[in-house]
Amino acid sequence: MYKTLFDHIEKFTPLKPFEIEILESGLGITKIKKKQHVLQEGQICNTMYFITKGCFRQYIINNKGTEQTLQFGIESWWITDYLSFHNQTPSHFYIQAVENSEIIAIEKPVLESLLIQIPKLERYFRIVSQKSFGAAQMRIKFLFTMSAEERYNHFKNQQPDFVQRVPQYMLASYLDFSAEFMSKIRAGKV
Amino acid sequence: MYKTLFDHIEKFTPLKPFEIEILESGLGITKIKKKQHVLQEGQICNTMYFITKGCFRQYIINNKGTEQTLQFGIESWWITDYLSFHNQTPSHFYIQAVENSEIIAIEKPVLESLLIQIPKLERYFRIVSQKSFGAAQMRIKFLFTMSAEERYNHFKNQQPDFVQRVPQYMLASYLDFSAEFMSKIRAGKV
DNA sequence: TGAATTTCTTGAAGTAGTTCAAGATTTATA
DNA sequence: TATAAATCTTGAACTACTTCAAGAAATTCA
């Protein structure tokens, strides 16, 4: 439902009815099945994705062939590779649905046209991305200062529901330790 | 010099003479001496800093009492704690001059007023922060996939001049290993 | 439902890094 | 220019994790 997006925008800047109309006429909702990719490594990322339902992750495959999740996104999150999007360079990342999901996919030219028609969207995206950057800085802080067990407990306290929502091995890699070690943490064997 | 900032803005969106005038009349340049802080842990961050000359770092003090640098900023970079800035919550970070430096400091109310007078600044800050977020994602990728030595070599290849510019122990903590280990990497003793 | 797939667990062995302590070198300052 | 302060180096002991391998449990779907 578009409402998820309109509500999110209105957290930061109010929308007039005609602006909502423009958005409704320009956007579409796409269903994405679990495990389906919306971006693969090497592709140029030309789309921003707003998640209206479900869960996605951004991950890489390291040189041992193991997947490492860098970022999760759930309802009301934007997910994309901003560097590839802005610089038109091949992406380093995969973006994949973790659950059956629904997204609003906005292609770069459509976004540019919406930003011209509804300039206050610039403000919306500014604030969203500044907050995302702030969150990324906190993430780096946690990675730097906490032990594996502390990172797991901290995450579980902050996002108790989310821990149930994704496979343990994905969460382990997001927290930067191995799936096996996650098992041991949970079993209290560390 | 303001020119550093105007040039940076014009990389993303052109400025008209009257807009430059508004900026010139509303902004000021501050000199910050080496080691001086512009933000301390626990403070609410109400200012964005644009570096016109010199070098800053954002760091934390971990529970062993050691400083860990999360981010460096040099000429034409913005540095602030966006999370504290937006949510008006106490900052987790210190921001400190690494060299004698000059910055344009913009207080939150001044920024808000500038954004109203010059709406295209929303676009400027949107693009800058989206690119910063993209860079933070790449940083996390490197932290996840490379060994300490690889991270050092990669950084040195990307930013050969910068390696000379800051103390080794600061760079070591930025790359997430100990100062002693940095010594051993450089001596080829690993 | 049953077979296939995905996910989770466990222990043993290994290692990439840390920590500590002390001295050497470089840089800043009175 | 001498003294203090900051930064860098080195080796030895340690440890928080990884890797591997194999089986167990849970989930998916024909």
Side-chain angles (χ1 to χ4, degrees):
Chain A
M1 263 286 289
Y2 293 126
K3 192 170 180 307
T4 318
L5 176 56
F6 301 150
D7 285 352
H8 194 246
I9 295 174
E10 293 201 312
K11 275 191 181 175
F12 303 106
T13 178
L15 286 172
K16 300 209 171 114
F18 86 90
E19 293 168 328
I20 291 187
E21 263 177 56
I22 292 170
L23 286 169
E24 272 180 335
S25 70
L27 302 178
I29 291 200
T30 314
K31 294 196 181 198
I32 307 285
K33 286 226 177 98
K34 186 171 171 169
K35 301 214 170 158
Q36 194 180 326
H37 288 89
V38 294
L39 179 68
Q40 307 246 8
E41 187 185 351
Q43 287 180 349
I44 291 174
C45 179
N46 276 307
T47 317
M48 291 186 55
Y49 301 100
F50 180 82
I51 305 167
T52 54
K53 184 153 164 276
C55 177
F56 283 76
R57 65 171 178 144
Q58 179 190 42
Y59 71 94
I60 51 148
I61 298 182
N62 68 20
N63 47 23
K64 277 160 208 133
T66 314
E67 295 173 358
Q68 288 188 269
T69 299
L70 301 192
Q71 184 93 53
F72 289 107
I74 56 171
E75 289 82 4
S76 294
W77 276 75
W78 287 93
I79 196 159
T80 190
D81 177 349
Y82 284 106
L83 227 49
S84 172
F85 188 87
H86 277 290
N87 302 345
Q88 294 289 291
T89 49
S91 178
H92 289 74
F93 307 114
Y94 298 84
I95 297 180
Q96 182 195 45
V98 177
E99 303 169 353
N100 291 329
S101 303
E102 294 180 17
I103 51 174
I104 298 173
I106 309 190
E107 299 293 317
K108 202 168 183 178
V110 174
L111 178 69
E112 276 307 326
S113 137
L114 287 173
L115 288 167
I116 288 164
Q117 293 177 78
I118 313 174
K120 69 174 60 156
L121 287 183
E122 294 280 8
R123 181 179 182 82
Y124 166 68
F125 284 112
R126 169 182 66 85
I127 297 173
V128 164
S129 61
Q130 286 181 342
K131 292 187 117 181
S132 300
F133 180 66
Q137 293 189 147
M138 285 301 290
R139 174 152 159 68
I140 293 172
K141 172 185 164 158
F142 294 137
L143 289 169
F144 274 22
T145 56
M146 292 180 177
S147 70
E149 194 175 5
E150 286 167 341
R151 294 200 295 279
Y152 173 69
N153 287 323
H154 179 263
F155 188 90
K156 201 174 58 155
N157 290 336
Q158 298 291 305
Q159 318 273 345
D161 301 333
F162 190 77
V163 174
Q164 315 302 329
R165 203 165 159 182
V166 297
Q168 272 180 43
Y169 71 89
M170 281 187 197
L171 185 53
S173 76
Y174 175 78
L175 296 172
D176 200 23
F177 47 76
S178 67
E180 294 90 337
F181 199 64
M182 169 72 104
S183 253
K184 286 161 194 170
I185 289 172
R186 287 167 45 97
K189 295 189 179 170
V190 298
Chain B
M1 263 286 288
Y2 292 128
K3 191 170 180 306
T4 319
L5 176 57
F6 301 151
D7 285 353
H8 194 245
I9 295 174
E10 294 200 311
K11 275 191 182 176
F12 304 105
T13 179
L15 285 173
K16 301 206 169 117
F18 86 91
E19 292 167 328
I20 290 186
E21 263 177 55
I22 292 171
L23 286 168
E24 273 180 335
S25 69
L27 301 179
I29 290 199
T30 313
K31 295 196 179 198
I32 307 285
K33 286 226 177 100
K34 186 171 171 172
K35 299 212 172 158
Q36 195 180 325
H37 288 89
V38 294
L39 179 69
Q40 306 246 8
E41 187 184 353
Q43 288 179 349
I44 291 174
C45 179
N46 276 307
T47 316
M48 289 186 56
Y49 301 99
F50 181 81
I51 304 167
T52 55
K53 182 153 164 275
C55 177
F56 282 74
R57 65 171 178 145
Q58 178 189 43
Y59 71 95
I60 51 148
I61 298 182
N62 67 21
N63 47 24
K64 278 158 207 134
T66 313
E67 296 172 359
Q68 288 187 271
T69 298
L70 299 192
Q71 185 91 54
F72 289 107
I74 56 170
E75 289 82 4
S76 293
W77 277 75
W78 287 93
I79 195 158
T80 191
D81 177 349
Y82 285 106
L83 227 48
S84 172
F85 187 87
H86 277 291
N87 301 345
Q88 294 289 291
T89 48
S91 178
H92 290 74
F93 308 115
Y94 298 84
I95 298 179
Q96 183 195 44
V98 177
E99 303 170 354
N100 291 330
S101 302
E102 294 181 17
I103 50 174
I104 298 173
I106 310 189
E107 299 293 317
K108 202 168 182 177
V110 174
L111 178 68
E112 276 307 326
S113 135
L114 288 173
L115 288 167
I116 289 164
Q117 292 176 78
I118 313 173
K120 70 175 59 155
L121 287 183
E122 294 280 7
R123 182 180 182 83
Y124 166 66
F125 284 112
R126 169 182 67 85
I127 296 172
V128 165
S129 60
Q130 285 181 343
K131 290 187 121 182
S132 301
F133 180 66
Q137 293 189 147
M138 284 302 288
R139 173 151 160 69
I140 293 172
K141 173 185 164 158
F142 293 137
L143 288 170
F144 273 23
T145 56
M146 291 180 177
S147 71
E149 193 174 6
E150 286 167 341
R151 293 199 296 278
Y152 173 69
N153 287 323
H154 180 263
F155 189 91
K156 201 174 58 153
N157 289 337
Q158 299 291 304
Q159 319 273 343
D161 301 333
F162 190 76
V163 174
Q164 316 300 329
R165 203 165 161 180
V166 297
Q168 270 180 45
Y169 71 88
M170 281 187 199
L171 185 54
S173 77
Y174 175 78
L175 296 172
D176 200 22
F177 47 76
S178 67
E180 294 90 338
F181 199 65
M182 170 72 105
S183 253
K184 285 161 196 172
I185 289 172
R186 286 168 44 98
K189 296 188 179 171
V190 297

